[in-house]
Amino acid sequence: MGTWLPFAYTDKQGSALPLDGADIFDKSRFHVPLPVFHSHQKKAFDQRTRFFAMRCGRRYGKTKFGATLAADRALKKWPVGWFAPEYKYVSPAYNEVAEILQPVINS
């Protein structure tokens, strides 16, 4: 079962922003630094296909890559889901996405 990531939006000063459909992701209002990829992750990230498959070994950075991809898409207002057979597999990914999106999460 996937995990839903609810969050409210704040500007750089921490002030809450209204969720009235206004363009809240104005680049001048937020700075969300995405993690830096290694060369193979960058090659996969630059693919412009709807679906793609990757063959990765241990310590490749799959969770970091997926979390960065999810955060990037969420900031572009695309629907994002993360699914796993058990909660214990979703929890680290949820924490990664929450950490990346911390500038727009109202704690």
Side-chain angles (χ1 to χ4, degrees), residues 4-6 33 36 38 48 53 59 62 74 78 91 97 105 107:
W4 179 61
L5 179 63
V36 177
H38 58 69
R48 299 293 178 207
R59 309 219 9 112
K62 295 178 290 288
W78 295 5
S91 183
V97 173
I105 294 175
S107 299

Side-chain angles (χ1 to χ4, degrees), residues 27-42:
K27 291 185 180 185
S28 65
R29 297 176 80 173
F30 292 101
H31 176 67
V32 180
L34 296 177
V36 177
F37 292 135
H38 58 69
S39 62
H40 295 287
Q41 289 174 324
K42 183 172 179 352

Side-chain angles (χ1 to χ4, degrees), residues 59-98:
R59 309 219 9 112
Y60 177 84
K62 295 178 290 288
T63 302
K64 180 71 77 178
F65 177 78
T68 304
L69 189 64
D72 176 65
R73 301 308 192 251
L75 290 170
K76 293 177 180 175
K77 301 181 184 180
W78 295 5
V80 176
W82 193 293
F83 304 93
E86 296 181 28
Y87 176 76
K88 66 182 179 180
Y89 300 117
V90 175
S91 183
Y94 175 88
N95 293 335
E96 289 277 344
V97 173

